[in-house]
Amino acid sequence: MKRVLSIQDISCVGKCSLTVALPIISAAGIETSILPTTVLSTHTAFKGFTFRDLTDDVPPIIEHWKQEKITFDGISSGYLGSLRQIELVEQIFDDFNGENVLRFVDPAMGDNGKLYVGFDKDFALRMGKLCSHADIIDPNLTEAVFMLGMDYPGDNYDEKYIKELLKRLCGLGTPLAVLTGVSFSENEYGVAAYDAEKDAYITYFAEHLPVSFHGTGDVFSSALFAALIAGQPLYDALKTSVNYTVESIKQTISYPGHNWYGVDFETAIPYFLKQLGKI
Ligand code: PXL
């Protein structure tokens, strides 16, 4: 069985980060080790959340794993709570690297042109540096422009702009950049990707649902990471993860009185496994 490591916070309530990554990657038949970097009572879109920084626990945890000669087939990072945590992820990427280790960075920091509570421009630029240690990154448009120190274009962009943005993301030092939340026409929504080594640009779109939910980025990146580790080629993995995210949103809005803080990725897990060809 393949074993991966997911490094991000635990938001106890809120359906994001580890409470999303752990079930999704495990459902794909992949052993999922975790490194919780912070414990929050909820994610930061709630008011009055608690925040327990676990940074000081990370170095002894890494040391113990090294003593035990633990290895991973993939390492993925998501929301990180401080500059020091970014440094530690770089150290983990270096310490646990190997020929077939997939290092995946989801620079979860913002959406809709704004950074989440607690982050500033310098943090975003530092996150951009983490990307040079990754084999693949998957920012949304907001995260991409903040990492590159550019202005947020809103809906005002075309395919030429997206291709250029993807090339600049690879200029951060990663060979493969996936941009989420891309749309070139009213009824389609999806992702665009650029593989710098092959000079190959691809897109995958699904229908555009007229709603917006917290946590969809984490569902998408967990599914993409799992699909790649499970062996799907990039295009198939993008298709699996976009379709699964859309299905999770559909499940959510099918219940009247659904919550606002996350999507029902749980009831869409059988659909995810079908997309992966596991059932
Ligand atoms: O969904 C990304 C995410 C992860 N972790 C925490 C968050 C958010 C988004 O707001 O607040 C703590």
Side-chain angles (χ1 to χ4, degrees), residues 8-11 15-18 40 42-45 49 51 78-80 106 108-110 116-117 119 143 214-218:
Q8 48 193 325
D9 69 282
I10 293 182
S11 292
K15 300 216 237 190
C16 68
S17 44
L18 280 181
L40 300 91
T42 61
H43 63 52
T44 59
F49 56 87
F51 189 100
Y79 177 101
L80 298 171
D106 177 6
M109 290 183 294
Y116 298 140
V117 174
F119 295 134
E143 292 153 351
H214 221 82
T216 47
D218 292 359

Side-chain angles (χ1 to χ4, degrees), residues 46-180:
F46 285 83
K47 287 205 177 69
F49 56 87
T50 69
F51 189 100
R52 168 76 62 197
D53 188 335
L54 300 181
T55 306
D56 290 343
D57 292 287
V58 173
I61 290 174
I62 302 174
E63 275 320 302
H64 183 216
W65 289 345
K66 284 200 224 160
Q67 271 168 26
E68 292 294 323
K69 302 203 172 3
I70 290 167
T71 58
F72 301 105
D73 297 294
I75 305 172
S76 145
S77 74
Y79 177 101
L80 298 171
S82 65
L83 295 169
R84 174 84 184 115
Q85 289 185 0
I86 298 181
E87 270 171 30
L88 285 166
V89 171
E90 287 174 351
Q91 188 190 329
I92 293 167
F93 279 163
D94 289 348
D95 287 356
F96 294 88
N97 200 10
E99 223 172 274
N100 294 312
V101 181
L102 184 73
R103 294 162 304 172
F104 187 114
V105 170
D106 177 6
M109 290 183 294
D111 208 358
N112 300 314
K114 293 204 178 85
L115 293 175
Y116 298 140
V117 174
F119 295 134
D120 60 19
K121 283 183 178 171
D122 287 340
F123 183 89
L125 293 173
R126 181 65 185 85
M127 188 66 99
K129 297 217 169 83
L130 174 61
C131 297
S132 70
H133 296 252
D135 300 304
I136 173 168
I137 64 171
D138 72 336
N140 60 31
L141 193 52
T142 302
E143 292 153 351
V145 295
F146 271 99
M147 288 196 294
L148 293 165
M150 294 165 60
D151 290 333
Y152 179 64
D155 294 335
N156 207 1
Y157 59 79
D158 57 13
E159 193 157 18
K160 188 165 165 271
Y161 173 92
I162 295 296
K163 280 185 185 166
E164 177 59 30
L165 190 61
L166 283 165
K167 284 189 179 172
R168 286 201 196 190
L169 285 169
C170 288
L172 291 171
T174 180
L176 184 54
V178 175
L179 193 62
T180 64

Side-chain angles (χ1 to χ4, degrees), residues 10 13 46 58 78 81 108 113 119 124 128 160 194 198 202 204 226-228 253:
I10 293 182
V13 172
F46 285 83
V58 173
F119 295 134
K160 188 165 165 271
Y194 181 66
K198 295 186 185 141
I202 55 172
Y204 180 78
L228 291 170
I253 57 181

Side-chain angles (χ1 to χ4, degrees), residues 30-45:
I30 298 161
E31 180 183 338
T32 312
S33 313
I34 59 166
L35 184 47
T37 46
T38 309
V39 178
L40 300 91
S41 50
T42 61
H43 63 52
T44 59

